[in-house]
Amino acid sequence: MALRAMLCGIVVGMLVSVYREGIEAGTRAAQWGYAVVARNPWWLVAWAFGLIGVAAIVAFLVRWEPMAGGSGIPQVEGVALRGMRMRWWRVLLVRYAGGLLCGMFGLSLGREGPSIQIGAASSQAVSRAMGRRGIESNYLMTAGAAAGLSAAFNAPLSGMMFALEEVHRSFSPMILLSATAASLSADFVSKYWFGLTPVLNFTRLSQLSLPEYLWMLPLGVVAGLVGSLINRMLLGFQTMYSRVPATARIGIALAIALPVGIWLPMVLGGGEELIGFAEKATSGIGFLVILLVAKMLFTSTSFGSGVPGGIFMPILASGTLAGSIMGLVAVHAGVPQEHVAVFAVCAMAGTLAASVKAPVTSILLTVEMSGTLVHMLPVTACAFVALLVSDLLHISPIYSALLDRYVQAHPDDGTALRRDSAGRASGNAVMEFAVEAGSPVAGRALSDVSWPSGAAIVDIRRGDDEIVPTSTTVVEAGDYLLVMFPATHLAQVRSDMAPLCGASD
C-alpha cells in the first residue's frame, strides 16, 4: 500500500506542479493584460471577444463534466464518503482547460481545491492501472487528494491531516499510511520544482509576549465572523447565479474581473500577492478594509458562477487582511508594529477554521506555509475561538454545504459505484467504519446489533490483527469494521452506520 501510495504521490506531484505553474502564469498574464487595457482602451474589443469565447468554452466543459466545476473538494468527499462516480480523465481535462482559461482572466479562485481533485482523479487512474479495486482504490484516491494539497502548498503534514479530518472524517491507520506516503512523495516533487521556500515565507515573525496573547480572543472573534460571512456570501451568490444561464453567469464573472484588474490588481487570482501585502501592512486601515471587501465580493462572484476553481487561498487571503486590520488596531493600543504579521497569520488560520470547520488542518497548514512553529499556541487559540464563533452562528462547513447542493443538482452521481450495461446500479460496495469509544456497538456481539438492511460485516481490523467475524464476535472501541452492501444502498447504509459507530451524545 505504501509503495502504491508513493507512486500516486509522484504522479500527483508532477500534475499539480504543472497546474500550479499554469495558474500562476495565468494570474501574471491577467495583471499584464488589464494594465494594457487601462492604457489602451481600444483593446476592450479584443477583451470582449475573448470573454465571450472563454465563457462559452468553460460553460460547455462544465456541462460536459459537472463534477469538475467549482472547488473539487466537495466532489472528492462525495466519492470517498457517498460512493459518487468520478470519470477521472474528464475531470483532469476540464480542470486543466477550464481552470487555466479562467486563470488568464484573473478570477479570484484558488488552485488548492482543483489540485486536490486532480490528485484524487489521477490516483484513481493509477490505482485502476495497477488493478486495485474496492476499498483499496478508495484509500489510494484519498491519498491522492492529500498529495494534491501537499503539492499545492508544500505542506505534507496538512495533506495527511486533511485526508483524515476533512475527506475521510475518521482516523484510519490505512488512510494515514497511504496519505503519508503520497503526501511526502508529492511534496518532494513540488519542492524539487518550486524550491524549498515556504509558500508564504513568513519567516521573520516576532514573538508575542504572554499579555499580548489576550489579543487572540478579539482576533479569533473577528476571524470567525469573516469566515462565517464568507460562507454566507459564497452560498448566497451561488444561489443568485443559479437563476442565470451557465454561459451568462460565467460571462458576468469574467466581466467583473475587468474593473477589479484595472483598479485593484492585487485582488486578482488566489491571493498570494495580497497576503504578502497584508503581512507588511504598509497601507492604512481604510485601504485594507477596501481590499478585504473587494476580495470577498470578487471571490463570491467568481466562485458562484460555477467555473472550475477553488476557494482555499481566497479564504486565507481574506483572513490575512482581517488579521492585519486587527493588528493595526492593536498597534494604536500599544502593540508593537512588528506584531501585525503575527496577527495576520493567526487570523488566516482562524478564518479557514471558521469556514471549513477543520481546525487541525487549518492550524498545520498555516504553520507549514508560514515556515515557523514558534506561533503554534496563538494560531491554535485564534483558530478555536473562530471555530466557536462559527458554531454559535450555526454556520455549516462550506464543503459539506457545497456537497449537499451538488448531490441535489446531480442525484445520479451519488446512486452507485458501478452500473450495468442498462445503466442500472449493480454490484457490491465495501466501506470502512471506525468504532468510537462510547458508541452503541462497542462491547456488543455482532448478533446483538441491528445492522442496516443488506449490510454484512466482512472483516474487523483490531490493531495489527484482522478478525474474521462470527455472530458471537464482540466489537470493541477502536475497531475498524469493513462493511459490504449493495452499491444501490450506499447512502442509506452510511447514514445508518454513522450513529451505530459514533460516540453517543
Side-chain angles (χ1 to χ4, degrees), residues 465-476:
D465 300 326
E466 288 199 28
I467 301 171
V468 178
T470 65
S471 60
T472 59
T473 302
V474 176
V475 179
E476 297 181 2

Side-chain angles (χ1 to χ4, degrees), residues 396-420:
S396 299
I398 185 61
Y399 294 126
S400 296
L402 292 171
L403 175 57
D404 290 339
R405 290 189 172 199
Y406 181 87
V407 171
Q408 291 175 5
H410 307 89
D412 290 341
D413 281 352
T415 56
L417 293 173
R418 289 177 285 178
R419 291 177 178 268
D420 60 20

Side-chain angles (χ1 to χ4, degrees), residues 4 55 69 86 126 166 203 273 352 357 401 424 475 483 485:
R4 295 185 186 105
M86 181 166 61
V126 173
E166 181 63 25
T203 54
E273 182 179 349
L352 186 62
K357 300 292 185 75
R424 295 169 299 194
V475 179
V483 184
F485 48 88

Side-chain angles (χ1 to χ4, degrees), residues 296-359:
M296 293 172 65
L297 286 172
F298 189 36
T299 300
S300 300
T301 58
S302 298
F303 181 78
S305 65
V307 298
I311 51 176
F312 227 89
M313 183 61 84
I315 291 174
L316 294 175
S318 299
T320 307
L321 288 167
S324 292
I325 293 168
M326 277 296 295
L328 292 178
V329 171
V331 167
H332 290 297
V335 173
Q337 175 73 33
E338 60 266 22
H339 289 349
V340 172
V342 181
F343 279 63
V345 170
C346 293
M348 179 196 306
T351 303
L352 186 62
S355 176
V356 179
K357 300 292 185 75

Side-chain angles (χ1 to χ4, degrees), residues 194-216:
F194 294 100
L196 301 177
T197 303
V199 171
L200 301 182
N201 200 25
F202 287 158
T203 54
R204 295 183 180 180
L205 296 176
S206 57
Q207 180 66 47
L208 297 176
S209 64
L210 289 178
E212 289 167 343
Y213 276 31
L214 293 174
W215 279 98
M216 295 303 104

Side-chain angles (χ1 to χ4, degrees), residues 13-389:
M14 292 188 292
L15 291 177
V16 170
S17 294
V18 171
Y19 182 80
R20 179 175 163 182
E21 194 78 68
I23 292 297
E24 292 176 357
T27 301
R28 292 192 297 270
Q31 292 174 334
W32 172 83
Y34 290 127
V36 170
V37 170
R39 294 192 300 268
N40 306 282
W42 57 273
W43 273 97
L44 281 172
V45 176
W47 172 84
F49 279 107
L51 181 150
I52 295 171
V54 169
I57 293 171
V58 174
F60 168 78
L61 290 172
V62 174
R63 280 196 305 269
W64 181 59
E65 183 48 70
M67 185 165 272
S71 167
I73 295 177
Q75 294 91 316
V76 171
E77 293 179 2
V79 174
L81 301 178
R82 305 191 187 185
M84 293 167 57
R85 296 169 295 126
M86 181 166 61
R87 294 167 286 265
W88 63 267
W89 65 274
R90 284 192 177 195
V91 168
L92 292 178
L93 179 60
V94 176
R95 280 293 169 195
Y96 278 94
L100 296 179
L101 284 173
C102 292
M104 292 176 62
F105 276 78
L107 294 185
S108 182
L109 302 168
R111 62 173 183 261
E112 304 72 33
S115 296
I116 288 168
Q117 192 177 24
I118 288 171
S122 57
S123 293
Q124 184 182 81
V126 173
S127 68
R128 290 184 178 179
M130 293 186 292
R132 302 296 101 186
R133 291 294 187 271
I135 193 167
E136 187 173 346
S137 178
N138 190 287
Y139 288 151
L140 291 175
M141 189 213 64
T142 305
L149 180 61
S150 174
F153 278 130
N154 289 359
L157 293 177
S158 303
M160 301 172 206
M161 184 53 60
F162 179 82
L164 296 170
E165 187 179 30
E166 181 63 25
V167 176
H168 202 63
R169 298 184 184 175
S170 66
F171 181 85
S172 166
M174 293 301 291
I175 290 292
L176 180 61
L177 171 66
S178 56
T180 299
S183 294
L184 290 175
S185 54
D187 182 59
F188 176 82
V189 174
S190 178
K191 282 186 167 62
Y192 183 83
W193 191 300
F194 294 100
L196 301 177
T197 303
V199 171
L200 301 182
N201 200 25
F202 287 158
T203 54
R204 295 183 180 180
L205 296 176
S206 57
Q207 180 66 47
L208 297 176
S209 64
L210 289 178
E212 289 167 343
Y213 276 31
L214 293 174
W215 279 98
M216 295 303 104
L217 293 175
L219 182 62
V221 171
V222 170
L225 292 173
V226 171
S228 300
L229 182 58
I230 287 174
N231 281 22
R232 298 286 192 192
M233 293 175 65
L234 291 171
L235 297 175
F237 274 87
Q238 189 181 65
T239 301
M240 291 171 56
Y241 270 125
S242 65
R243 304 183 180 96
V244 181
T247 303
R249 61 174 175 255
I250 295 173
I252 292 171
L254 297 175
I256 292 173
L258 177 63
V260 173
I262 292 176
W263 289 301
L264 290 173
M266 278 191 297
V267 178
L268 295 173
E272 286 187 36
E273 182 179 349
L274 204 59
I275 290 174
F277 179 81
E279 174 204 0
K280 300 177 178 62
T282 53
S283 65
I285 293 177
F287 187 58
L288 288 175
V289 170
I290 292 173
L291 290 176
L292 174 60
V293 173
K295 187 62 177 177
M296 293 172 65
L297 286 172
F298 189 36
T299 300
S300 300
T301 58
S302 298
F303 181 78
S305 65
V307 298
I311 51 176
F312 227 89
M313 183 61 84
I315 291 174
L316 294 175
S318 299
T320 307
L321 288 167
S324 292
I325 293 168
M326 277 296 295
L328 292 178
V329 171
V331 167
H332 290 297
V335 173
Q337 175 73 33
E338 60 266 22
H339 289 349
V340 172
V342 181
F343 279 63
V345 170
C346 293
M348 179 196 306
T351 303
L352 186 62
S355 176
V356 179
K357 300 292 185 75
V360 181
T361 300
S362 302
I363 294 165
L364 285 178
L365 185 62
T366 302
V367 169
E368 286 191 284
M369 287 199 306
S370 63
T372 175
L373 292 170
V374 175
H375 299 87
M376 177 71 83
L377 179 57
V379 165
T380 302
C382 183
F384 278 100
V385 171
L387 181 64
L388 174 61
V389 171

